[in-house]
Structures are given as structure tokens and as C-alpha cells.
């Protein structure tokens, strides 16, 4: 007698957000990625549609500070002071599907780089790589309004993502996003109600739901990962059960892994230092995808490799 697998039936569908515009679409990107579009839980395509393999992006900075983790710095020692070359190495040597640049150097309380300097960085990045781009501000609301307005104009026609929109600071980013038909990343701090509220605020302000990607905050392994997993999973379950305002793709970053002592503290009792950090990031990233994330932003190329191999295996097409 044939064994019939039990299958869940969902009424909801996650919206699809496309990042990047090809030359035929008015842009200059050589590739684009699609997030979301599923009608099933992650990697359970036999229960519904799971059309888009999660893209894995890599994170770079306009300036790199002294406390940047040594293990994450080492693969990029020769290019880390040049965001364009850094991004090019991420794409050409390590297979990044997209690049996210954090413009932390524009923060008035830190390096306070001018908008003109930031513009030159983004123009160089745009020319250096053809993959879709994400551009994040420094977290200073007033300066980010100027930097992201500039970024929106420089990237006009390229269909990038701007961020991060937060409950107390989302209007200027929304305007920058809507002015050139970009997407926006809505940040919430491990709170499903706030995640939903952010989508409501943005859509009430005029941002189309199909231009929103949620970042519900991914904690690192050993530092609250289980709570993050629960929040992401609950968002995805609510969306599949029909909550339309939560039916937008989720993107998670693994940056907080690099604040964990396991990622920077040598300890002979816990094995090789570099391998430990790499697997700490890979485990955190894969957990986010299994919980419901549709895309990742990561730092170490070996961790990216491990996650990509796992995704291929789970989504089909990987080595057995």
C-alpha cells in the first residue's frame, strides 16, 4: 500500500519582490533576484509553490572600523578599503547574488562623510558589479534622509532596496524609495506586532506592499536564535493562513553573529577559531531560512558557500 504523505493546505501566498533591473528593463544590472512567491513553508514545495531559491547576498561597508571581526576581514584584506573592489570580489570569487552596502561612514557622530563622498562611493559600486544592490544608511535619521535620497537618484532605473525603515524613521526613506520605484526594507526588533505595524505604516504612507521586504532581526546562534526563529516562523505562518499585510518577503542578516565571543575569541577547548566562526554564521543563516526567511545577507565567503550548498540540497539540485 502506497504511503500518502500528510500535507498542509495554506490559503495565503507570499508576495514576490524583484530586485535589480536588466538593460532591457531600463537598468544596467546583469542579473536580478526574486524574493518570496511561496504558497508553502520553506523548502516544502510538495505542499505548494516554492518558486524562488533564496538569494544569498554579501554585506560590505563604505568604511571599515578597527573593531571589524578579524575572521571576516581576512578574505578581503586586499580590497577592504575599496567598496567597489570589495563588492567585485564578493560577486566574482564568492558568488554573491546581491550586494548590501551599509553607509555607516556618513554618520555625523562618526566619520561624518559628506553626501557628495557617499555619492561617489555608490557610483563606483554601481559600476563595479552588475548584481542587484541594497543601500542602507547609518542610522542617523537626518543624514540618512539626504544620503538615501541621493542613493535613490543615483540608482534610478536599477530597482534596488533602500533601508532601514523603522517605526520612528520611515517617511523620508519611503519618499526616496517611491520617487524612483525602488523597494524598501522594513525593520522590526523581534516583534511580530511591530513587523505588521511597519507594513501598515508604510502602505498608509503610500508604499506599495509589493515593494516591501521585512527584516524582523535575526539573532546569532547562542544569543537568542530560538526567539528569532519563533518570530520569523510566526510571521510566515500568519501570512500563509491569510494575513495579507504580512504576505511580504522576509530578509535576514547574520551580522550579529560577529558580536558573539565564539566568533572572535580564541579558545583551544572549542576547536579551530576560524572554522568555529564560519559555522556559527552558516548555522545562524540556515536557521533563518528554515524559519521562513526568503533571502540572507552574510559576511564570510565560506559561510556563504556552506549555506548555498544547503539551499541547493533542500531546494533540489544539490549533491546527494
Amino acid at each position: 500500500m502506497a504511503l500518502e504523505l500528510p500535507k498542509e493546505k495554506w490559503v495565503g501566498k507570499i508576495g514576490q519582490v524583484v530586485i535589480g533591473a536588466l538593460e532591457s528593463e531600463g537598468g544596467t544590472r546583469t542579473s536580478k533576484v526574486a524574493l518570496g512567491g511561496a504558497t508553502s513553508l520553506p523548502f516544502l514545495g510538495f505542499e505548494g509553490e516554492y518558486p524562488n531559491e533564496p538569494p544569498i547576498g554579501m554585506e560590505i561597508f563604505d568604511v571599515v572600523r578597527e573593531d571589524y571581526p578579524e575572521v571576516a576581514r581576512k578574505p578581503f584584506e586586499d580590497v577592504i578599503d575599496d567598496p567597489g573592489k570589495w563588492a567585485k570580489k564578493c560577486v566574482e570569487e564568492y558568488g554573491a547574488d546581491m550586494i548590501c552596502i551599509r553607509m555607516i561612514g556618513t554618520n555625523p557622530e562618526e566619520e561624518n562623510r559628506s553626501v557628495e563622498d557617499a555619492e561617489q562611493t555608490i557610483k563606483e559600486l554601481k559600476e563595479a558589479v552588475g548584481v542587484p544592490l541594497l543601500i542602507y544608511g547609518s542610522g542617523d535619521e537626518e543624514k540618512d534622509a539626504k544620503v538615501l535620497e541621493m542613493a535613490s537618484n543615483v540608482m534610478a532605473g536599477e530597482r534596488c532596496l533602500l533601508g532601514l525603515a523603522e517605526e520612528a524613521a520611515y517617511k523620508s526613506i519611503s519618499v526616496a524609495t517611491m520617487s524612483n520605484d525602488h523597494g524598501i526594507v522594513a525593520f522590526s526588533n523581534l516583534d511580530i506586532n511591530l513587523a505588521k505595524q511597519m507594513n501598515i505604516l508604510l502602505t498608509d504612507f503610500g508604499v506599495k506592499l509589493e515593494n516591501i521586504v521585512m527584516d524582523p532581526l535575526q539573532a546569532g546562534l547562542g544569543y537568542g536564535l530560538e526567539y528569532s526563529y519563533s518570530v520569523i516562523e510566526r510571521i510566515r505562518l500568519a501570512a500563509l493562513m491569510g494575513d495579507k499585510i504580512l504576505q511580504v518577503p522576509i530578509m535576514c542578516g547574520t551580522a550579529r553573529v560577529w558580536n558573539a565571543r565564539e566568533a572572535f575569541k580564541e579558545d583551544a577547548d572549542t576547536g579551530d577559531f576560524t572554522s568555529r566562526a564560519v559555522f556559527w554564521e552558516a548555522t545562524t543563516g540556515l536557521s533563518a531560512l528554515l524559519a521562513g526567511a526568503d533571502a540572507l545577507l552574510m559576511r564570510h565567503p565560506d559561510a556563504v558557500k556552506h549555506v548555498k550548498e544547503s539551499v541547493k540540497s533542500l531546494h533540489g539540485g544539490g549533491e546527494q
Side-chain angles (χ1 to χ4, degrees), residues 32-182:
K32 57 183 183 180
V33 296
L35 283 60
T39 60
S40 73
L41 288 171
F43 307 109
L44 300 185
F46 61 91
E47 290 189 342
E49 298 175 15
Y50 192 70
N52 299 311
E53 185 175 297
I56 311 299
M58 295 185 73
E59 186 180 67
I60 66 172
F61 298 83
D62 61 335
V63 298
V64 178
R65 294 172 182 155
E66 291 184 359
D67 61 353
Y68 193 73
E70 184 60 31
V71 174
R73 176 192 296 265
K74 195 167 184 180
F76 302 103
E77 278 181 331
D78 54 335
V79 295
I80 205 163
D81 292 325
D82 186 324
K85 292 180 180 177
W86 188 356
K88 195 176 179 70
K89 189 168 187 177
C90 287
V91 174
E92 296 184 354
E93 294 192 26
Y94 303 127
D97 298 314
M98 50 191 181
I99 293 293
C100 175
I101 185 167
R102 290 182 179 267
M103 305 296 290
I104 60 173
T106 61
N107 192 313
E109 297 183 0
E110 298 289 343
E111 292 81 1
N112 195 22
R113 296 184 69 220
S114 67
V115 175
E116 290 73 22
D117 285 346
E119 180 176 2
Q120 186 61 31
T121 297
I122 293 173
K123 285 180 175 177
E124 291 173 359
L125 177 61
K126 177 184 173 183
E127 293 299 318
V129 295
V131 298
L133 299 179
L134 294 80
I135 302 169
Y136 289 180
S138 66
D140 182 272
E141 182 179 358
E142 186 175 345
K143 189 66 173 285
D144 282 354
K146 299 174 183 175
V147 170
L148 294 177
E149 179 186 6
M150 172 276 296
S152 173
N153 293 331
V154 170
M155 296 301 295
E158 303 288 354
R159 180 65 178 169
C160 62
L161 285 181
L162 302 179
L164 294 166
E166 300 188 46
E167 185 179 24
Y170 66 90
K171 294 182 178 178
S172 60
I173 299 177
S174 298
V175 171
T177 297
M178 292 188 289
S179 63
N180 287 298
D181 194 29
H182 296 303

Side-chain angles (χ1 to χ4, degrees), residues 216-261:
L217 179 59
Q218 175 62 44
L221 174 64
Y223 296 84
L225 181 144
E226 299 86 349
Y227 193 74
S228 286
Y229 191 103
S230 174
V231 170
I232 296 168
E233 186 178 54
R234 287 163 57 205
I235 291 174
R236 181 47 41 94
L237 287 171
L240 291 175
M241 287 190 286
D243 190 333
K244 292 187 180 300
I245 202 68
L246 288 175
Q247 290 173 352
V248 302
I250 298 171
M251 179 160 53
C252 292
T254 57
R256 282 160 185 81
V257 165
W258 298 99
N259 296 328
R261 63 183 177 87

Side-chain angles (χ1 to χ4, degrees), residues 13-18 34-38 51-52 159 210-211 247-249:
K13 179 177 182 178
I14 309 305
Q16 180 170 278
V17 174
V18 177
L35 283 60
N52 299 311
R159 180 65 178 169
E210 56 263 35
N211 287 333
Q247 290 173 352
V248 302

